[in-house]
Amino acid sequence: MYVADRTWPELGEYVAEQSLAVVPLGSTEQHGPHLPLSTDHLIAESLARAATERTGHLCTPTIHIGVSPHHRQFHGTMWVDPPAFRSYIESLTRNLTYHGIDRVVYVNAHGGNTVHLREVGRRLRDDGEAYAIEWMWDESIPDLVNDIFEHNGPHGGPKETAMIMHIARELVREDQLDSARDGGVVSLADADPRKFGARTFYDAADNTENGVLGDQTDATPEKGREIFEAATDQLVHLLEWLDAQPFESLLPKPHVDPQPGSRR
């Protein structure tokens, strides 16, 4: 159920019986010469809408801009600073709790958002307001992704390319797949991202001239459909599991005995 397409009486019927919402999040940032800047938020929204159509749960509008300063050297990349992002997501989620939502799944397709979503989720859980967790699509099907693509690549690689080929093929510059591969870094090991155990890079441009990693020529719409359907299945399972949990079981466990001050 997509919230923006509903009337308020229809949503009243939902919150009278249900308490789970899905929030898709991504970014608007460079994804090489072959993929649109909308790649991450298109993937997040498509997966969230597909899963909630199957389960009947509430899906909010998509958050299009995330924490992406590490792509700032490339034209068109947009970002918000981490404190502003965390504040916005927390405020949005507290808004949902006002309407009766007490559990939220952040359907995330941008790695730069992950740690901040986890922090927001911890705050909400510690306050007893909501149980909010982050879900990253490729982390739900790691074995499948690694089996399908020889040189996967964490950004702008074949997994994201195949996904967009499936979701919106007209946005993929297929004549640029060779140049994306040849101008980027096919193997992450070749980017030399660490030295003596330290992360010596801060920006994507420190590792790759055209902003991408992996072999984009290995992507096909058929592979995109396979990983899209597999990830959607995983998200459906997560929503069904979370919906079935008693809210009290999702809150922080009590302090171990003896309780502080119990002997005073």
Side-chain angles (χ1 to χ4, degrees):
M1 176 187 292
Y2 183 56
V3 63
D5 289 343
R6 299 289 176 163
T7 67
W8 72 261
E10 291 170 343
L11 294 173
E13 294 173 4
Y14 179 84
V15 298
E17 298 181 357
Q18 301 291 335
S19 60
L20 188 153
V22 172
V23 179
L25 307 98
S27 68
T28 299
E29 66 181 26
Q30 73 84 19
H31 276 79
H34 63 301
L35 290 178
L37 275 69
S38 59
T39 290
D40 286 345
H41 70 249
L42 280 177
I43 293 173
E45 180 171 346
S46 298
L47 288 166
R49 296 285 291 269
T52 54
E53 284 175 6
R54 286 171 55 181
T55 66
H57 290 113
L58 196 71
C59 180
T60 74
T62 303
I63 308 303
H64 293 94
I65 298 173
V67 182
S68 303
H70 48 295
H71 293 288
R72 67 187 186 276
Q73 290 90 345
F74 298 93
H75 301 307
T77 292
M78 305 181 74
W79 71 91
V80 293
D81 291 332
F85 178 79
R86 292 192 295 267
S87 179
Y88 182 87
I89 298 303
E90 183 173 347
S91 179
L92 170 65
T93 308
R94 290 187 186 276
N95 161 239
L96 292 172
T97 68
Y98 176 81
H99 292 294
I101 300 299
D102 64 15
R103 58 204 78 193
V104 174
V105 174
Y106 301 123
V107 174
N108 179 37
H110 173 53
N113 295 338
T114 301
V115 63
H116 308 293
L117 294 172
R118 289 284 296 174
E119 181 175 335
V120 169
R122 177 175 286 279
R123 290 179 189 173
L124 294 164
R125 181 173 180 258
D126 287 349
D127 289 348
E129 288 289 320
Y131 181 78
I133 53 175
E134 181 262 354
W135 179 84
M136 190 82 170
W137 72 269
D138 56 333
E139 293 181 0
S140 75
I141 51 169
D143 293 338
L144 177 60
V145 171
N146 288 329
D147 287 344
I148 290 178
F149 304 112
E150 182 177 357
H151 296 290
N152 186 12
H155 185 76
K159 65 184 178 185
E160 291 183 322
T161 304
M163 272 287 210
I164 299 301
M165 283 179 167
H166 171 63
I167 295 167
R169 189 171 184 176
E170 69 279 6
L171 297 180
V172 180
R173 282 63 169 176
E174 296 189 42
D175 62 337
Q176 296 295 316
L177 295 180
D178 288 338
S179 64
R181 176 198 60 201
D182 297 340
V185 178
V186 172
S187 173
L188 186 60
D190 295 334
D192 194 21
R194 298 174 184 266
K195 288 182 175 59
F196 312 111
R199 293 175 180 262
T200 56
F201 67 96
Y202 281 95
D203 299 329
D206 296 335
N207 293 326
T208 166
E209 291 184 3
N210 71 355
V212 296
L213 300 158
D215 183 0
Q216 296 74 22
T217 64
D218 199 18
T220 66
E222 293 74 23
K223 291 179 180 179
R225 178 178 180 179
E226 182 177 359
I227 58 178
F228 182 90
E229 292 180 349
T232 301
D233 286 344
Q234 291 298 303
L235 180 54
V236 166
H237 293 324
L238 175 62
L239 297 180
E240 293 175 339
W241 170 83
L242 183 56
D243 190 39
Q245 304 309 304
F247 183 64
E248 294 74 17
S249 71
L250 301 171
L251 295 177
K253 301 295 184 290
H255 193 288
V256 297
D257 290 330
Q259 294 292 309
S262 60
R263 296 177 180 174
R264 292 175 188 170

